[in-house]
Amino acid sequence: MEMLLSAVLGEVVTKSINFLFRKCSKLQEQDVENRLGILLRAQVIMDEAMGRHITNQAMLLQLDMLRRAMHQGYYMLDTFRCQCHDEMDTKDQVLSQYFSISKENSLKGLCYSNRNTQILEQLQKTLDNLSSMILDMEEVVMFLASYRRLHRQPYSMHLLLGNCMFGRQMEAELSVKFLLHMQSQSPEEIEVLPIIGPGKVGKSTLVAHVCKEERVHNHFSEILWLHDHDLTDELAFREGCAMKLQNCVTNLNNDKSILVVVELVGDLTENAWNRLCSASKQCLPRGIKIIVTSQSEMVVRFGTTQALTLSYLPQEALWYFFKTLAFGSTDPEMHPRLVQLAMEIARMLNGSLNGANIFSSLMRDNFDIHFWCKLLAFLRELIQYNLSKFGDTPFDLLNQNRPVEFERIATPSVEFLVSQQYQCSSQEETQTPTIGLQDVIFGSFQNHGKFDILLWKSQIPPYYSYFNTCEIRKLKTTGTKRKRSTKNGAAII
């Protein structure tokens, strides 16, 4: 009787507190719903800006700040909606297990109410900030019309984001400014722009877009691409790099200069760098500009201007990109449970744009809640297993060229080892594997030894295809052997 009375009193107190929380939350929710038009206004401004060729760096900086605030606003809004969906799912559990765990569920209800209140407060703060930014950008919005419009076909937003460089407009314009800037010193001097950042962060994509820019293309008579193997080995440098430089001389337009792009994986020795500069001055006596990309911060010492540092996208920006691609032309608000699953998957991608492209493509092609649940479970197990065994996430392991292990969902007795991740351009690609990531994870694909799988083909410059080399390492028996029974002296399994 005392336990029953305690449970009833506890529930009464909890309901009273929850009633106050809900009343305050509803007032806040109504205020937020009335102000969601701010997000739409920001979206309209950004869509218009994406359709214009903007070169003013001050405007680009303001638009970048507005874009970040808009991404944060959508992220907080979706976080709040997912939290409300969780709370509705929990209510049924509270009713069905009332007498057994009433205190525990009451505390859980309080936690949900507190959590919702905190999210609403953050969302309101974000919307206030966004509203102030929009008011301060009235002149910017007026000036947008003065920039020429980019030629585009009618599009859906997921098609646009899937076919453009996302989130690097400011860095691209800074690179173009460096390339078009007239040298104040003698034309024989070499100007160098270092671009650094971790693997798969978008350095090659940034440089490819900059080089395709019409202003850059018209400014240089030749663009020469070099890689590690062109510089690290002296023989390769003499026979390969020097030959490429000599070829540039034959196409040299005396009124224009040469752009050399050096793509490195790691660092470069002083000796190799001096060989490149010396050969460049001898073969190409006119003004030369160099862009050098690397994961190592040591290449900054070669720069003659401030280095550009690329980092992985913030969680809010990645979520905006990922959700747009994963849902395609489908309205996410009509599928709150799928939004919740997509948000969990996006959080596990550790800011990887390649990961966002790969998994959003899988999800859009298999728009089914059961498939998305399986994909989420697969990612969780993949991350936990590699963290416990190798001490790092699978995305970081692959970026460091270290092995990753995983089991297939369809037949978990099969274990795969991913030992290499590589990429190649459409010109270098000789034979595209017909095996896709989905075939390996979920399909009935059977193979032995090593084989390549195609992860994703980029639709934007430099049009890389991304591959993994996989190997079936072992087959494990998951079930226990059934007991043998005898009948007429014969064994039956």
Side-chain angles (χ1 to χ4, degrees), residues 176-297:
V176 172
K177 180 183 178 182
F178 161 78
L179 294 176
L180 301 184
H181 178 259
M182 300 300 294
Q183 299 185 31
S184 57
Q185 63 269 32
S186 63
E188 288 77 17
E189 293 297 325
I190 297 177
E191 290 187 287
V192 182
L193 170 64
I195 300 179
I196 58 174
K200 306 299 185 295
V201 78
K203 300 184 293 295
S204 297
T205 301
L206 173 64
V207 176
H209 277 76
V210 169
C211 291
K212 285 181 68 68
E213 166 70 46
E214 184 178 359
R215 293 171 291 165
V216 173
H217 188 73
N218 293 334
H219 186 76
F220 294 95
S221 60
E222 194 76 21
I223 299 178
L224 175 64
W225 296 81
L226 302 176
H227 300 86
D228 292 77
H229 57 80
D230 294 318
L231 304 171
T232 53
D233 182 77
E234 187 170 355
L235 179 63
F237 178 85
R238 185 166 58 248
E239 296 181 353
C241 179
M243 186 177 297
K244 291 179 181 180
L245 291 171
Q246 289 289 351
N247 289 337
C248 283
V249 176
T250 60
N251 300 324
L252 184 60
N253 185 327
N254 292 329
D255 297 329
K256 298 181 180 180
S257 55
I258 296 293
L259 170 59
V260 180
V261 178
V262 183
E263 292 189 320
L264 305 173
V265 175
D267 195 10
L268 189 66
T269 64
E270 291 279 356
N271 187 31
W273 179 258
N274 291 333
R275 287 203 310 267
L276 171 64
C277 293
S278 176
S280 299
K281 289 180 179 179
Q282 292 175 9
C283 299
L284 309 170
R286 192 164 176 81
I288 303 170
K289 295 209 176 186
I290 296 179
I291 294 179
V292 53
T293 68
S294 175
Q295 298 181 32
S296 172
E297 295 183 359

Side-chain angles (χ1 to χ4, degrees), residues 336-346 363 369 372-373 376:
R337 177 58 178 155
L338 291 181
V339 172
Q340 190 176 18
L341 291 171
M343 205 166 205
E344 286 297 316
I345 292 173
M363 294 161 67
I369 189 170
W372 288 25
C373 285
L376 174 59

